[in-house]
Amino acid sequence: MEVSLDISKITEAKRIRQIRLGAAPVTLEEFVAVARFGAKVSFSQEYLEQVTRSRQLAEKFLTENRKVYGLTTGFGDNVRKIIPQEQAVELQVNILRSHSVSVGEPLKKECVRAIWLMQLLSLGKGYSGIRPETLSLIAECLNNDVTPYVPQDGSVQYLAIEGQINLILMGEGRAWHNGRLMSGAEALAEIGQKPWTPAPKEGLCLTNGANAATGVSALALYDNLIAAQTADIAAAMAFEAFRGTILACDERLHSLKKHPEQANCAANIRTMLSDSAIMKKYIHAKVQDAYILRCIPQMHGASKRFIKDCAANILEEMASCSDNPVLFPEDGDGTALMGANFDSTFASGSADILCMAAANLAKFSERRTDRLTNRYLNQAYPAFLAERPGVDNCYMIVQYTAAALVGEIRSLSAPATADSVPTCANWEDPVSMGWWAARKSLMVAKKLHYVLGIELMAMTRAFDLLQKEEEGFASATKAVHDKIREVVPPVEKDRYFGPDIESTAALVSDGTIIETAEEIAGTLAL
């Protein structure tokens, strides 16, 4: 079944209350609904049947004592060791315990939930040999808001992270429930569940695959898509705030570049500004604007192409089985195929590219903020947009914040997947470093939301000042201005601006800025 992205539904995640896992791929907004907004998970009958068939095959292989990695052999370099059947369960318990060695501060709740959901998707394909009741226990934890305590540092791809998450299923480790941190056994008891003992192969299933990197990369993808569409809205406001010439977005100009994302960005800005009297007034007021306006379609468009390419990789990985080995049914029997579907490079390499896309959007946004607050460049606005320059600093230091965030984004944009440190007695000789790639891509996306929030805050202030001289803002940009003014009051003098940044960035992150503009302009193209 084809996996695709529907950008028109990107802001629906916060309204989805339940998803049902079955044959159809989970959409990105459904995935985020569970991971970030607490939507419930259930299984279709088809899902349960395919998992059951796979488990029956695992039991058959075990009874026949077939040589199958992780079922009748040890793990990693210990693959040479054949495990007696009486130690098969102990082997699975030991992999969860021995792999739970990540360190540092705990992973955020949405990331833990994203990883568990990815395990339900991958292991539920019916090729892993896991029991339905094991997946149901994970779903119970998700649906009852149990969140394992998972130190986030020190994993090359997935092992330590997924070990820590699933340790709680055995009643070990720690987890949050109802706002309290408690033992895994206590958390299970509070939701009416008992500690679980892994059956043969299940410990391997739950510490294997690209699920950790893919789950967190999916969250980063969603945040980058939100940012990319929001960036076009901020850019439209910038055209009015700087009284630029909209000819830089002329359809004829962009028809000569064969990049649809560039043309779509220009079309988004034209659509949002279609009823702007300011744009009509200044269309021929200058020969051309500085790059910060003139290059928006090209720069935003390129970033969007990067994001779209990454979306294809991540969504395909979300719809895949990334386990090893996979148990493949054949003519009433079956075979165990040992390979490397656990590798996360499709998702984590895309996470690295998402960082570059975000860095390009961030640097353009920050430059627009700087130009707007810089009295030497901002076309007669007061210094730092202050009502009383000198006694008031207004957005002087707010721009510093944007500049610092861009610097942090640039530092985090060095590719993680280009690196490798061999592990497991060199049995795992190249490793993806996918976990760090995924983590930093989510960090970068969240910083980008702040950068865009700062720009929108500054543009809103500029609109307040500009309306003293000009009339006829576009309906879409004026609606965004008004929405921001619902949470950020007008600036009359210096105040504590930190909460203003947080409030505006929140409107970016939850898609409110996009929904406000699209209510008037229609769905923005990607």
Side-chain angles (χ1 to χ4, degrees):
M1 190 171 295
E2 183 179 356
V3 181
S4 60
L5 174 69
D6 185 349
I7 196 63
S8 69
K9 296 181 179 179
I10 194 65
T11 62
E12 292 182 6
K14 60 190 175 185
R15 287 185 282 272
I16 296 172
R17 295 290 174 263
Q18 182 162 356
I19 71 166
R20 191 170 183 80
L21 305 187
V26 167
T27 66
L28 182 60
E29 57 273 12
E30 288 174 331
F31 187 91
V32 174
V34 174
R36 180 169 292 169
F37 299 108
K40 308 290 186 183
V41 176
S42 63
F43 303 145
S44 69
Q45 188 60 36
E46 180 181 18
Y47 179 99
L48 294 171
E49 288 173 358
Q50 64 196 22
V51 171
T52 299
R53 285 194 297 269
S54 177
R55 182 62 205 174
Q56 290 170 346
L57 193 55
E59 297 285 357
K60 176 179 170 64
F61 291 169
L62 190 65
T63 300
E64 296 172 355
N65 205 29
R66 293 195 197 182
K67 188 179 289 187
V68 177
Y69 175 73
L71 183 67
T72 57
T73 76
F75 306 118
D77 187 52
N78 286 329
V79 67
R80 302 170 181 84
K81 304 289 186 180
I82 302 301
I83 307 301
Q85 287 207 13
E86 62 270 20
Q87 294 179 326
V89 170
E90 184 181 3
L91 176 72
Q92 303 304 315
V93 171
N94 284 347
I95 191 174
L96 287 168
R97 286 175 176 164
S98 67
H99 284 45
S100 300
V101 291
S102 56
V103 298
E105 295 298 314
L107 197 58
K108 289 186 177 180
K109 178 178 179 178
E110 65 176 18
C111 295
V112 176
R113 292 178 62 84
I115 296 166
W116 250 350
L117 178 56
M118 266 309 310
Q119 291 194 319
L120 293 182
L121 295 176
S122 176
L123 300 174
K125 297 296 179 189
Y127 299 100
S128 294
I130 199 166
R131 292 175 296 174
E133 53 262 42
T134 300
L135 300 181
S136 294
L137 179 56
I138 294 174
E140 284 295 311
C141 290
L142 283 171
N143 291 342
N144 289 281
D145 201 28
V146 171
T147 305
Y149 181 100
V150 182
Q152 61 186 328
D153 297 328
S155 186
V156 295
Q157 180 164 299
Y158 50 78
L159 295 172
I161 301 302
E162 295 183 8
Q164 293 273 16
I165 288 176
N166 291 298
L167 200 60
I168 185 184
L169 303 179
M170 299 194 300
E172 301 180 16
R174 292 183 292 169
W176 281 282
H177 185 243
N178 290 333
R180 296 185 296 114
L181 184 61
M182 59 191 73
S183 72
E186 289 174 307
L188 291 175
E190 286 201 355
I191 64 170
Q193 300 294 325
K194 296 179 180 179
W196 152 97
T197 300
K201 194 179 182 296
E202 288 192 314
L204 177 61
C205 289
L206 293 172
T207 53
N208 201 10
N211 300 308
T214 303
V216 175
S217 295
L219 291 173
L221 170 63
Y222 176 85
D223 284 346
N224 273 277
L225 287 164
I226 290 287
Q229 300 303 78
T230 304
D232 282 3
I233 297 166
M237 296 181 75
F239 266 94
E240 287 187 305
F242 291 121
R243 289 169 275 207
T245 171
I246 194 65
L247 288 175
C249 295
D250 192 288
E251 185 176 6
R252 295 165 294 179
L253 175 66
H254 298 286
S255 70
L256 302 179
K257 275 272 201 156
K258 303 306 178 183
H259 304 304
E261 297 79 15
Q262 174 182 323
N264 288 346
C265 174
N268 286 344
I269 293 172
R270 290 197 309 271
T271 299
M272 284 186 280
L273 299 179
S274 60
D275 61 346
S276 170
I278 295 173
M279 287 296 93
K280 291 180 176 63
K281 179 178 177 181
Y282 288 97
I283 190 169
H284 296 299
K286 63 187 81 167
V287 175
Q288 61 183 18
D289 289 297
Y291 278 15
I292 206 60
L293 288 184
R294 186 162 32 113
C295 291
I296 285 170
Q298 290 82 359
M299 293 289 288
H300 284 199
S303 295
K304 289 185 176 191
R305 168 60 73 87
F306 299 161
I307 296 169
K308 285 171 70 173
D309 289 345
C310 293
N313 289 333
I314 293 170
L315 289 171
E316 287 169 358
E317 191 65 54
M318 286 168 57
S320 300
C321 175
S322 64
D323 200 7
N324 178 56
V326 296
L327 310 184
F328 217 89
E330 291 177 335
D331 300 326
D333 189 13
T335 186
L337 299 172
M338 274 67 81
N341 274 3
F342 54 77
D343 183 75
S344 73
T345 306
F346 276 102
S348 54
S350 296
D352 275 335
I353 295 170
L354 286 176
C355 291
M356 185 167 64
N360 277 279
L361 292 172
K363 76 180 184 184
F364 244 51
S365 175
E366 184 277 327
R367 287 293 83 200
R368 291 192 293 262
T369 298
D370 177 71
R371 180 169 287 266
L372 195 56
T373 55
N374 186 335
R375 69 184 178 90
Y376 299 105
L377 299 174
N378 67 14
Q379 300 177 10
Y381 288 106
F384 310 112
L385 304 180
E387 197 73 30
R388 304 173 299 166
V391 66
D392 290 327
N393 295 302
C394 197
Y395 288 166
M396 177 196 291
I397 310 302
V398 169
Q399 184 270 327
Y400 286 29
T401 303
L405 289 165
V406 171
E408 292 167 11
I409 287 170
R410 286 172 178 156
S411 296
L412 290 167
S413 292
T417 52
D419 196 5
S420 180
V421 179
T423 57
C424 201
N426 220 51
W427 188 250
E428 298 164 358
D429 36 0
V431 294
S432 73
M433 296 297 179
W435 177 238
W436 176 235
R439 277 181 60 201
K440 71 187 183 64
S441 70
L442 186 57
M443 293 165 63
V444 164
K446 291 184 182 301
K447 291 175 189 293
L448 174 56
H449 285 195
Y450 278 115
V451 174
L452 289 167
I454 287 170
E455 182 189 359
L456 288 165
M457 201 169 78
M459 291 298 167
T460 299
R461 171 62 178 156
F463 272 32
D464 291 343
L465 295 167
L466 187 60
Q467 67 186 356
K468 299 173 184 177
E469 304 175 28
E470 304 286 354
E471 295 180 356
F473 290 98
S475 301
T477 57
K478 183 62 165 59
V480 172
H481 166 279
D482 294 348
K483 178 60 67 174
I484 292 170
R485 279 288 167 258
E486 290 179 10
V487 298
V488 176
V491 179
E492 296 176 353
K493 59 183 179 180
D494 279 0
R495 62 170 183 259
Y496 177 25
F497 290 122
D500 295 355
I501 298 173
E502 295 289 348
S503 296
T504 312
L507 296 180
V508 174
S509 297
D510 71 5
T512 296
I513 297 295
I514 296 174
E515 291 174 331
T516 301
E518 288 188 336
E519 189 174 341
I520 295 168
T523 300
L524 301 177
L526 184 63

